[in-house]
Amino acid sequence: MKKDWYAIEGTPGPQGVAWIEEENAFNFALYSENATGVTLLLYGERDPVHPVRELKFDYLRNRSGRIWHCRISAAGMNNAVYYAYKVEGPIDPARGHRFDPDKILLDPYARGVFFPPGFSREAARRPGSTAGKAPLGVIIKDDSTFGWTDDKKPWHTSDKIIYELHVRGYTMRPNSGVTPGRRGTYAGLVEKIPYLKELGVTVVELQPVFQSDPQEGSYWGYMPLNFFTPHQGYADGEGRHDTVNEFKAMVEAFHRVDIEVVLDVVYNHTTEGDQDGPTYSFRGIDNAAYYLLQEDKRFYRNDTGVGNVLECAHPYVRMVITDSLSFWAREMHVDGFRFDLASIFTRDSEGKINLQDPPIITEIRVHPDLIDVELIAEAWDLSTYQLGKSFPGLFWHQWNGQFRDDVRSFVRGDAGKVATLMTRMYGSNDLFPDDMDNVFRPYQSINFVTAHDGFCLYDLVSYNIKHNEANGNDNTDGTDHNLSWNCGWEGDDGVPDEVMDLRRRQVRNFCAILFLSNGTPMMRAGDEFMNTQKGNNNPYNQDNGISWLDWDLLKKNHDIFRFFKLMIAFRKDHPSLGRGRFWREDVKWYGVGEKPDLSFNSRSVAFCLHGSSEEDDDIYVMINGYKEDLKFTVQEGAACQWLKVADTGLPGPLDISDRGEEENLEDLEYNVSARSVVILRRPMAGPGRA
């Protein structure tokens, strides 16, 4: 019986390797626009150097458009478990072509990556063959070994609390309490779920989990090798199936307790770096198609700061990105994505900014597998800052770097920051306006004070100078660019008690302002117990105690943990804070008296947020950023109507009260200590309320 042509020659889709059950065969498909020849290499389990079969594609039979493809029966696979390609083409860097027939190349669509014993990044950088030294793709026949048990997608709105963490660093220390074999893994995170629930987290945002090059030296993971495979170094088990199943089990465990999982994803560059970097995959398959090049095409654009930029305006690159997102959403059940340096998505094929209709932004938003997925942009790169309405992803959330900077500046004690603090706490309507032409929502602003970039919260109040000596290649001179203040003493050696007391107060101030602000709050793991990196504000390459959370500090600083926990609970109890709209007429701004002081030297402000429209309590907040105590007068109601929730000027456990245990205010005049925040609430059914 005559077979159809595609059963002999293969089809151009789907990309990567696909098992065709009815034909008992595998289909292979690889995009390369400028290649003149492609050879598929199949490897057995025990010999990653010598292929068990080589199949050189005939362009008349095995090429459709710009995609090379073939179909191989199971019997013809010769028991192969790994695969790779050799790709021929012009070796002409001046035209952007860097084909090298000696290089063994990883399929961009590989669903598993195998690193042979001889794996060598250095060999991939040098001329010559990389046989036995290059990463290989894993051939997947059945990818359904994990059984989802009625997995349900969580969905949080006004109670959304994002918690950014690093999979390895979160549990790597023995004092994390995690089972030894599971420290630094996806399974290790599952063991910390009771802690996360106690804290009140509703969303975990994982720093990059895409497979990276284990010899590249980037602990953070922002140098991806492949977009379709979870990083094996974060798995307790061995092998591709163990890694995938462990990741899925982690997601399912989080979902079971109503916690969303968001991935920090990097689609703007790869681990191949600049012209001196290794050739693993994209560069050897079709350098000119995958990467944005300078006018002199021998060199790469570097808007990311790490050596190269993917050409996200290219149709095929866009397809790789959307297919990858679909894979993680559909098959791995993740709930959202935070896009590293998302402004790269707005660059056209020449590297110019296109804010009108960048196709990748629209394609992500309308993709059927991504309709109900949360999209978060880091709306900047090295040379452009598109925060707020400038970014063309109208429905996307965005990391609000302006919130970070303005809040840090105010809490540090800088002059002229009262008005900007008011704007940030209101929801940053200057950046996310809700006029007729825009109609943004305040929750699109991801408010944060710290993230993986820059000082952690304790170091923010403990160091003026960055101490990055351990990084080896990072400047250690000068002040940190993230508006830090050491409270009068650099570091921890011999720190006076009064300085430490001020630092703890400042940590509580940052926490209070973050969770009292309209928008979506995000915090960094470990800030809730004053974890420290000893002044290192950029430990991207520190896979050691500098970056691993020190859980002994949870015991030492349990009062700070309690403050964070109760502030999160307070925010959840009061949906009036994190509304779907701006506060508008429900908020009244005051100062120490009846009017806010917006003068340059002012460092204090107060407000009353009325909650009746949200069926919520009223909230009164007094903020003193001045170096001396200030006497505020509460401008609304009688003293007996107000309950004191928190006063950051007091030590724990007096700094904050559990709900139902607050004490009534005794007088409308309240002495707010220097550099402190006071929070009051007036219950809906409180005494004397109309």
Side-chain angles (χ1 to χ4, degrees):
M1 182 171 163
K2 187 176 181 181
K3 289 186 177 181
D4 291 321
W5 64 265
Y6 57 78
I8 301 172
E9 302 172 3
T11 57
Q15 293 296 288
V17 181
W19 171 246
I20 313 299
E21 181 69 33
E22 58 272 20
E23 296 180 21
N24 198 35
F26 287 96
N27 192 85
F28 293 82
L30 179 77
Y31 175 94
S32 184
E33 175 181 348
N34 296 293
T36 58
V38 172
T39 301
L40 172 66
L41 310 174
L42 301 178
Y43 297 87
E45 185 173 8
R46 300 191 179 187
D47 187 354
V49 180
H50 305 96
V52 295
R53 182 175 180 183
E54 295 188 28
L55 177 61
K56 186 174 179 61
F57 291 177
D58 178 348
Y59 82 93
L60 291 176
R61 291 167 56 88
N62 303 114
R63 183 175 180 181
S64 299
R66 296 169 177 176
I67 297 177
W68 302 75
H69 50 79
C70 73
R71 188 75 56 89
I72 303 178
S73 68
M77 293 290 291
N78 295 345
N79 297 315
V81 294
Y82 307 123
Y83 75 107
Y85 292 96
K86 285 185 178 181
V87 180
E88 302 170 58
I91 304 173
D92 189 355
R95 294 172 53 213
H97 301 309
R98 294 181 176 271
F99 292 99
D100 185 342
D102 288 335
K103 292 294 183 286
I104 308 300
L105 302 174
L106 177 68
D107 179 5
Y109 274 83
R111 294 296 185 92
V113 178
F114 171 71
F115 296 95
F119 171 70
S120 172
R121 182 179 178 89
E122 184 59 31
R125 293 181 62 248
R126 300 193 308 261
S129 173
T130 54
K133 302 174 183 179
L136 306 177
V138 179
I139 298 172
I140 308 297
K141 181 177 180 180
D142 182 7
D143 203 26
S144 59
T145 60
F146 184 84
W148 296 97
T149 56
D150 193 29
D151 184 55
K152 295 182 179 179
K153 179 183 177 67
W155 184 257
H156 296 280
T157 54
S158 62
D159 65 338
K160 190 182 293 290
I161 309 293
I162 301 176
Y163 188 80
E164 186 200 36
L165 64 84
H166 188 282
V167 173
R168 180 170 170 83
Y170 197 67
T171 64
M172 196 60 196
R173 284 184 185 265
N175 62 14
S176 67
V178 168
T179 303
R182 295 180 176 179
R183 293 172 189 157
T185 69
Y186 308 117
L189 290 186
V190 174
E191 293 192 18
K192 299 303 290 187
I193 284 178
Y195 170 81
L196 295 170
K197 288 296 291 183
E198 181 185 2
L199 180 59
V201 170
T202 59
V203 180
V204 290
E205 182 175 302
L206 307 182
Q207 284 186 250
V209 298
F210 289 174
Q211 181 62 58
S212 61
D213 174 0
Q215 295 181 0
E216 191 274 330
S218 177
Y219 159 75
W220 276 353
Y222 287 90
M223 299 291 284
L225 170 66
N226 177 272
F227 299 141
F228 291 86
T229 55
H231 187 63
Q232 297 170 21
Y234 299 158
D236 177 27
E238 297 181 359
R240 191 264 176 190
H241 277 298
D242 288 342
T243 301
V244 169
N245 287 346
E246 186 175 327
F247 184 93
K248 290 179 177 179
M250 175 198 68
V251 172
E252 186 176 59
F254 278 122
H255 286 181
R256 196 176 297 122
V257 295
D258 201 32
I259 294 178
E260 298 177 41
V261 178
V262 169
L263 301 187
D264 189 340
V265 291
V266 182
Y267 292 113
N268 55 78
H269 68 276
T270 77
T271 193
E272 290 185 311
D274 62 14
Q275 59 276 0
D276 297 319
T279 298
Y280 285 137
S281 180
F282 307 93
R283 173 177 289 137
I285 293 171
D286 201 334
N287 184 69
Y290 275 104
Y291 292 115
L292 275 176
L293 305 176
Q294 296 187 27
E295 186 174 350
D296 182 341
K297 295 186 181 297
R298 292 174 297 178
F299 302 99
Y300 295 81
R301 287 187 64 98
N302 191 22
D303 304 286
T304 62
V306 291
N308 64 51
V309 179
L310 281 174
E311 188 180 334
C312 297
H314 190 286
Y316 184 74
V317 177
R318 301 200 310 265
M319 186 172 72
V320 172
I321 293 172
T322 54
D323 284 351
S324 171
L325 291 169
S326 174
F327 163 76
W328 288 97
R330 185 184 67 254
E331 298 188 30
M332 307 297 269
H333 287 207
V334 303
D335 305 291
F337 303 95
R338 177 266 185 190
F339 294 84
D340 178 70
L341 301 180
S343 290
I344 294 296
F345 284 172
T346 67
R347 294 191 178 276
D348 63 20
S349 58
E350 296 180 352
K352 298 177 181 178
I353 298 297
N354 170 20
L355 295 178
Q356 299 304 313
D357 57 348
I360 183 64
I361 300 290
T362 301
E363 289 172 14
I364 291 173
R365 182 67 280 175
V366 301
H367 193 288
D369 290 337
L370 305 175
I371 293 297
D372 61 349
V373 167
E374 184 167 340
L375 306 174
I376 303 172
E378 182 186 38
W380 55 82
D381 57 32
L382 286 190
S383 57
T384 182
Y385 198 65
Q386 298 171 10
L387 181 60
K389 64 181 180 180
S390 298
F391 185 72
L394 297 180
F395 300 107
W396 292 40
H397 296 58
Q398 298 179 38
W399 270 25
N400 190 341
Q402 200 62 53
F403 180 97
R404 173 199 60 203
D405 294 346
D406 289 338
V407 171
R408 286 184 174 194
S409 184
F410 176 87
V411 174
R412 185 171 69 169
D414 294 351
K417 289 296 179 178
V418 170
T420 55
L421 177 70
M422 293 165 61
T423 301
R424 298 298 152 243
M425 296 190 73
Y426 181 75
S428 295
N429 61 319
D430 58 333
L431 300 171
F432 300 92
D434 65 344
D435 54 43
M436 183 63 72
D437 293 333
N438 295 284
V439 197
F440 284 94
R441 301 291 193 97
Y443 57 72
Q444 291 180 253
S445 170
I446 304 294
N447 299 334
F448 67 102
V449 176
T450 59
H452 65 275
D453 283 325
F455 282 147
C456 56
L457 188 55
Y458 176 72
D459 290 1
L460 185 69
V461 300
S462 304
Y463 292 90
N464 286 350
I465 308 298
K466 56 183 179 178
H467 297 262
N468 297 359
E469 295 85 354
N471 291 15
N473 61 347
D474 204 336
N475 175 31
T476 60
D477 300 321
T479 58
D480 180 71
H481 295 291
N482 292 311
L483 299 167
S484 65
W485 178 51
N486 63 16
C487 295
W489 192 273
E490 186 71 8
D492 278 339
D493 293 339
V495 58
D497 290 343
E498 60 272 18
V499 172
M500 184 56 73
D501 289 343
L502 178 55
R503 289 177 180 176
R504 301 175 86 85
R505 183 184 304 182
Q506 292 286 72
V507 166
R508 290 192 291 263
N509 289 338
F510 280 120
C511 174
I513 291 173
L514 175 64
F515 291 115
L516 289 169
S517 298
N518 201 2
T520 301
M522 183 190 81
M523 59 179 289
R524 178 179 178 174
D527 281 351
E528 71 274 17
F529 53 78
M530 301 203 307
N531 188 67
T532 178
Q533 294 174 169
K534 306 299 182 182
N536 193 320
N537 78 330
N538 188 28
Y540 69 97
N541 60 353
Q542 299 302 305
D543 186 6
N544 51 48
I546 292 175
S547 295
W548 302 344
L549 294 197
D550 184 357
W551 290 88
D552 284 344
L553 293 173
L554 174 59
K555 300 176 183 177
K556 180 180 178 181
N557 301 313
H558 198 269
D559 60 319
I560 299 297
F561 169 80
R562 176 178 176 271
F563 190 87
F564 270 80
K565 170 184 171 181
L566 293 181
M567 277 304 307
I568 290 172
F570 180 80
R571 182 179 180 87
K572 289 181 176 179
D573 284 342
H574 299 287
S576 182
L577 288 167
R579 304 185 185 192
R581 298 290 184 185
F582 292 101
W583 294 339
R584 292 191 178 279
E585 64 278 356
D586 281 348
V587 68
K588 299 294 183 184
W589 295 96
Y590 303 106
V592 296
E594 62 178 338
K595 293 183 179 181
D597 182 356
L598 303 181
S599 66
F600 181 75
N601 290 319
S602 173
R603 290 172 172 82
S604 62
V605 70
F607 67 88
C608 183
L609 180 61
H610 302 104
S612 59
S613 64
E614 306 294 315
E615 297 184 352
D616 197 359
D617 299 340
D618 293 342
I619 298 170
Y620 200 100
V621 179
M622 296 173 280
I623 303 175
N624 179 12
Y626 190 48
K627 62 183 178 180
E628 297 179 5
D629 295 0
L630 293 175
K631 184 171 290 186
F632 284 69
T633 300
V634 178
Q635 297 297 308
E636 300 195 20
C640 63
Q641 295 177 316
W642 292 103
L643 299 172
K644 187 178 72 174
V645 175
D647 184 341
T648 65
L650 299 175
L654 303 176
D655 52 355
I656 191 168
S657 300
D658 288 282
R659 185 174 179 87
E661 297 182 5
E662 310 99 326
E663 296 181 355
N664 282 99
L665 207 60
E666 295 181 356
D667 195 308
L668 287 177
E669 286 192 342
Y670 192 98
N671 185 69
V672 180
S673 301
R675 304 185 188 277
S676 296
V677 177
V678 174
I679 306 170
L680 312 174
R681 75 175 178 91
R682 180 166 55 179
M684 285 186 290
R689 286 288 299 276

